[in-house]
Amino acid sequence: MSLLNDMQASALAGDAATRENYTFGSATAVIGNAGTVIIVEAGDARDRSSVWNAEEVRLLGPAPTPVRHRLVDQPWERSTADVRLPVHLTARVPEGLVYLGTGSVARAGTELRPGHAEHVLTDCVFRLDTFLSRPDLDRVRPPLPPPALPDLEWLSNVNGNRATALEQFITGWYPAMSEARAQPSLQAPTLDLPEGLRHFYDLARRHPASLGVQNRIVPASKLRADPNGVIVIGEENQGGFVWSLLRMPDGPEADPTVWFQGYDEPPIAEQEPLSGFLLQFALFEAAMGADYLALPHEPTGQQVRLLTEGLHRVPLRPFCPWYPTQFYVAPGLVLHVSGSADDDSFSVWAGATHRSALAPLADAAIEWNQFDV
């Protein structure tokens, strides 16, 4: 990897007369007639622009409008015959700028903020054309001592005291909000609910992410029973299916059946009652919303066995009838597997509280769609 000074890096963007510099947060974008140069600070951080892994550089906004135009809007405005200007990515170290190579925008987020007429670029992920070697990655993202990871004390309570297991997992995985900042929308439910669901809502007041980021548990204040006594307690993110409980005339059951229902389909019972379902939901959403991910590409059954052999299987029956899912865990790591051995087709998603928790998966001989080590 070559080392550049600021003048050499800026020259990659084009003639000096055409170049414009835009600094936002810890990043700088140099835009010119020959291309764009992105400069991020070396280091490992979630809250600022940085080299994220061997394949990705992440840019955090809000970025100025010309940066959004160059990175997001222009590729779609040009005809397909036009040549796209290159984006050169660099990372600042004490000695200068390490040239990472060229890259392209893999995904970007924009939002329309109050009082603004245009969308603001909030985040942008570049995929490097040539991935970084481990020594090069360590140079621009120096490894830090790993933090303490959430332990597995909750696992011993899964088939003994599931309410305790749920509380130990949620409070260990998610940082607690202060009482002053606790989720105000989680008001007490107006319906008479099972104690397990009330306990989940109580935990979610100070750990609101446990309500879900992919799918969601319906906020307590919005729960309603339809004329048939059906209470929808959870929803898929695109409305494809719901989870529900049946309202009983003599009051809620201690640990009722949870019913899974796809659009215009008959309901199917989840294999675990509410106590197990809530823990499975919490595990699934923890992995889906994690900051650090390991996503294998079309793993076979043999590869799934390699990925899970060093992990602990959560002793619950499969979650979600459409995509029967099993869970495997290690400190700070949740991995879920869905699929069928019949056609050797599986889907695997692993999420972690820190990239160091993904270490048990690093030795698996597998192609990764994303691996945040």
Side-chain angles (χ1 to χ4, degrees), residues 9-96:
S10 294
L12 296 173
D15 300 333
T18 71
R19 296 196 303 255
E20 296 288 345
N21 285 40
Y22 302 92
T23 298
F24 46 101
S26 61
T28 298
V30 184
I31 296 175
N33 65 334
T36 305
V37 176
I38 300 295
I39 303 170
V40 299
E41 299 291 331
D44 189 1
R46 293 179 301 168
D47 58 354
R48 60 182 176 84
S49 301
S50 64
V51 178
W52 185 251
N53 58 33
E55 303 174 13
E56 292 184 358
V57 175
R58 295 189 176 182
L59 202 62
L60 295 185
T65 298
V67 176
R68 191 201 78 218
H69 282 322
R70 170 59 66 90
L71 298 179
V72 178
D73 297 342
Q74 286 186 356
W76 294 319
E77 291 174 354
R78 297 174 181 156
S79 70
T80 55
D82 288 335
V83 177
R84 295 188 181 185
L85 298 176
V87 177
H88 302 274
L89 298 151
T90 68
R92 188 178 298 281
V93 297
E95 311 88 68

Side-chain angles (χ1 to χ4, degrees), residues 97-165:
L97 296 173
V98 175
Y99 183 68
L100 306 174
T102 55
S104 56
V105 175
R107 58 186 184 274
T110 63
E111 67 178 24
L112 186 62
R113 297 187 170 183
H116 291 76
E118 292 188 322
H119 283 74
V120 173
L121 179 64
T122 55
D123 58 276
C124 188
V125 175
F126 298 93
R127 188 168 181 84
L128 291 166
D129 293 330
T130 302
F131 300 161
L132 303 178
S133 67
R134 189 73 225 189
D136 288 339
L137 179 59
D138 288 344
R139 184 181 184 188
V140 295
R141 200 198 68 193
L144 301 173
L149 298 173
D151 61 35
L152 297 181
E153 183 181 359
W154 60 272
L155 194 58
S156 64
N157 288 310
V158 169
N159 284 321
N161 188 331
R162 289 182 177 174
T164 297

Side-chain angles (χ1 to χ4, degrees), residues 41-363:
E41 299 291 331
D44 189 1
R46 293 179 301 168
D47 58 354
R48 60 182 176 84
S49 301
S50 64
V51 178
W52 185 251
N53 58 33
E55 303 174 13
E56 292 184 358
V57 175
R58 295 189 176 182
L59 202 62
L60 295 185
T65 298
V67 176
R68 191 201 78 218
H69 282 322
R70 170 59 66 90
L71 298 179
V72 178
D73 297 342
Q74 286 186 356
W76 294 319
E77 291 174 354
R78 297 174 181 156
S79 70
T80 55
D82 288 335
V83 177
R84 295 188 181 185
L85 298 176
V87 177
H88 302 274
L89 298 151
T90 68
R92 188 178 298 281
V93 297
E95 311 88 68
L97 296 173
V98 175
Y99 183 68
L100 306 174
T102 55
S104 56
V105 175
R107 58 186 184 274
T110 63
E111 67 178 24
L112 186 62
R113 297 187 170 183
H116 291 76
E118 292 188 322
H119 283 74
V120 173
L121 179 64
T122 55
D123 58 276
C124 188
V125 175
F126 298 93
R127 188 168 181 84
L128 291 166
D129 293 330
T130 302
F131 300 161
L132 303 178
S133 67
R134 189 73 225 189
D136 288 339
L137 179 59
D138 288 344
R139 184 181 184 188
V140 295
R141 200 198 68 193
L144 301 173
L149 298 173
D151 61 35
L152 297 181
E153 183 181 359
W154 60 272
L155 194 58
S156 64
N157 288 310
V158 169
N159 284 321
N161 188 331
R162 289 182 177 174
T164 297
L166 179 68
E167 181 166 352
Q168 288 174 328
F169 175 75
I170 287 178
T171 57
W173 188 273
Y174 299 104
M177 301 179 72
S178 66
E179 285 294 342
R181 297 181 60 233
Q183 183 59 259
S185 65
L186 294 176
Q187 302 165 0
T190 56
L191 299 175
D192 192 10
L193 300 176
E195 180 58 32
L197 188 55
R198 287 180 174 275
H199 182 226
F200 183 88
Y201 283 130
D202 187 54
L203 292 169
R205 285 189 66 254
R206 296 191 63 188
H207 308 274
S210 62
L211 285 173
V213 292
Q214 173 75 8
N215 309 314
R216 71 163 193 154
I217 295 294
V218 177
S221 59
K222 296 184 178 181
L223 292 179
R224 300 290 185 272
D226 72 10
N228 296 317
V230 175
I231 306 169
V232 172
I233 63 167
E235 302 171 322
E236 194 259 346
N237 66 321
Q238 295 181 339
F241 56 80
V242 298
W243 288 285
S244 61
L245 301 176
L246 294 180
R247 191 177 190 183
M248 308 305 290
D250 298 330
E253 299 175 72
D255 199 10
T257 298
V258 177
W259 294 94
F260 173 99
Q261 185 171 18
Y263 179 75
D264 211 23
E265 296 283 340
I268 308 170
E270 283 281 353
Q271 293 194 49
E272 289 290 342
L274 180 65
S275 60
F277 165 81
L278 290 173
L279 181 55
Q280 290 174 319
F281 181 90
L283 289 165
F284 187 88
E285 295 301 316
M288 297 302 294
D291 290 311
Y292 304 95
L293 303 176
L295 311 178
H297 179 71
E298 298 182 354
T300 64
Q302 175 62 23
Q303 290 171 325
V304 169
R305 286 188 287 274
L306 290 174
L307 287 170
T308 59
E309 65 181 1
L311 308 180
H312 300 273
R313 190 181 75 82
V314 179
L316 294 169
R317 287 166 290 189
F319 170 68
C320 192
W322 278 2
Y323 313 100
T325 300
Q326 296 277 8
F327 296 91
Y328 300 82
V329 295
L333 171 70
V334 175
L335 180 148
H336 57 75
V337 180
S338 57
S340 171
D342 295 338
D343 57 4
D344 202 35
S345 175
F346 296 89
S347 174
V348 175
W349 184 292
T353 57
H354 187 264
R355 62 176 83 252
S356 62
L358 298 174
L361 310 180
D363 293 333

